[in-house]
Amino acid sequence: MNASQPHNFALTGAAGFVAPRHLKAIKDTGNRLVAAVDPHDAVGVLDRYFFDVRFFTEFERFDRHLEKLRRGPEAERVQYVSICSPNYLHDAHIRLALRVGAHAICEKPLVINLWNLDALQELEHETGRRVHSVLQLRLHPQVAALREELAAARSTGEHDVCLTYVTARGRWYDVSWKGSDERSGGIVTNIGIHFFDLLLWLFGPLTSCEVHMREPRRMAGFLQLARARVRWFLSTDAADLPFAPEPGSKTTFRSITVDGREVEFSEGFADLHTRVYEETLAGRGFGIDDSRPAIELSHRIRSTPAASVAAHLHPALAQLAR
């Protein structure tokens, strides 16, 4: 394909929450979506971005269609598959992308279980195609500025970091795939991995890990990183919000403090997926090795028993104990 021509994309998970961000990114980067799949057919969102999309509710037919395109004229072949499906399907859908001769652009986490990463890297070598991850917080302007500030400081001391992320979810969450540890990896992988990747990117590799609370809707613990001591708290329980939730508008609270100073990044999220696509298409995307540390950390947290007595407690735990 001529470098000036648009790339052909396919997409899995077209009816899901995150799919519109990928559809927008494909459109914004001047490319086209030619095929999509989801077992649910409520995918009118496709019409906001593209009209001529072959849509499938059966994955087998989608697979066959991409294989047919692969064997057809070069201009019709799919170069990228965007993966927005549930976490437990990411590994299989990445494999499909590589097998039909396309690169994969996959939402976090690439996989739930870290041992799948080595097998995917072997498949990259076999097919000559790449697996890209959506690590969009690394491209947030305020976060990038903080990383530059930390690097410029050249401090050999450790920073005190406190991460709090509460995002209210209704009862549907518990019965969906997101509420299943087996299918999502639980709250620490489905939600926390975004922030664990960010912390590792800012403060270096993990030294030790503690878990202080383990509940279906809440988890908390402590991380010792190379350059930081991190207390973290994650919750999907509306009762943990520091304000009364307003369905449809105000349902999330996020806070990261570094040495007592709030890192402000409440704005600037709208176009981060487009930025990820721009970087990926320019050859500067995030690959398997970029994703590995956070996947390893989330797996370790899921495998670590909750401590009965612990220091370095997150302030939210003290509130819950009252």
Side-chain angles (χ1 to χ4, degrees):
M1 171 175 284
N2 190 303
S4 62
Q5 292 180 323
H7 294 293
N8 293 332
F9 277 75
L11 184 142
T12 72
F17 167 78
V18 79
R21 300 178 190 180
H22 287 257
L23 294 170
K24 182 178 184 299
I26 294 168
K27 183 77 170 180
D28 287 350
T29 52
N31 297 295
R32 60 191 177 198
L33 183 70
V34 299
V37 63
D38 199 292
H40 305 283
D41 60 8
V43 291
V45 65
L46 293 174
D47 291 344
R48 296 183 200 171
Y49 302 96
F50 306 95
F51 283 120
D52 193 18
V53 180
R54 288 292 305 274
F55 174 69
F56 302 87
T57 57
E58 296 171 338
F59 190 79
E60 295 80 3
R61 295 183 65 199
F62 175 74
D63 182 349
R64 182 174 63 191
H65 180 66
L66 296 192
E67 183 63 30
K68 177 182 176 182
L69 294 179
R70 185 181 73 86
R71 297 176 181 275
E74 183 176 356
E76 296 180 3
R77 297 173 190 169
V78 170
Q79 287 82 42
Y80 289 88
V81 176
S82 297
I83 298 166
C84 309
S85 43
N87 298 351
Y88 70 103
L89 297 175
H90 287 180
D91 181 64
H93 292 179
I94 290 171
R95 290 173 178 276
L96 165 71
L98 302 186
R99 179 166 51 77
V100 299
H103 305 288
I105 300 179
C106 185
E107 270 295 334
K108 293 188 299 298
L110 281 183
V111 294
I112 295 175
N113 298 310
L114 62 92
W115 50 82
N116 294 126
L117 292 177
D118 292 335
L120 288 180
Q121 283 189 313
E122 289 180 11
L123 199 54
E124 278 188 323
H125 295 316
E126 291 174 10
T127 62
R129 298 297 185 266
R130 292 288 312 280
V131 178
H132 302 281
S133 185
V134 180
L135 306 180
Q136 73 271 28
L137 289 184
R138 296 192 186 189
L139 299 177
H140 193 287
Q142 277 69 43
V143 172
L146 173 61
R147 191 167 192 255
E148 291 180 4
E149 178 185 328
L150 292 170
R154 300 181 181 275
S155 171
T156 57
E158 294 178 336
H159 298 278
D160 284 305
V161 178
C162 188
L163 162 67
T164 308
Y165 187 71
V166 183
T167 182
R169 295 290 186 266
R171 293 183 178 181
W172 66 268
Y173 189 90
D174 301 319
V175 297
S176 75
W177 66 267
K178 296 183 179 185
S180 164
D181 281 2
E182 183 180 1
R183 292 184 290 170
S184 72
I187 188 172
V188 71
T189 300
N190 191 51
I191 292 176
I193 199 165
H194 301 268
F195 298 99
F196 293 136
D197 174 77
L198 183 62
L199 292 169
L200 291 164
W201 187 62
L202 289 172
F203 300 107
L206 179 73
T207 300
S208 63
C209 164
E210 298 174 8
V211 174
H212 300 156
M213 170 181 279
R214 184 189 302 281
E215 297 178 357
R217 281 182 166 262
R218 296 185 182 108
M219 284 195 72
F222 173 77
L223 306 176
Q224 180 67 60
L225 304 182
R227 298 184 297 278
R229 296 178 296 271
V230 181
R231 294 172 295 162
W232 58 270
F233 176 77
L234 305 171
S235 174
T236 58
D237 193 327
D240 295 326
L241 289 168
F243 49 78
E246 299 174 13
S249 58
K250 197 175 182 182
T251 58
T252 296
F253 173 77
R254 62 173 67 86
S255 171
I256 297 179
T257 62
V258 178
D259 300 326
R261 178 173 62 112
E262 187 74 33
V263 178
E264 176 55 48
F265 65 112
S266 57
E267 304 294 335
F269 286 87
D271 295 317
L272 289 183
H273 276 70
T274 296
R275 288 288 320 282
V276 169
Y277 273 64
E278 289 170 346
E279 292 296 297
T280 299
L281 294 169
R284 299 185 297 268
F286 304 113
I288 290 176
D289 285 336
D290 296 300
S291 297
R292 185 182 294 273
I295 293 173
E296 289 179 339
L297 173 54
S298 66
H299 181 269
R300 182 165 174 177
I301 291 172
R302 296 200 313 271
S303 307
T304 300
S308 56
V309 179
H312 312 297
L313 289 177
H314 190 283
L317 298 188
Q319 289 288 113
L320 290 169
R322 292 178 182 176

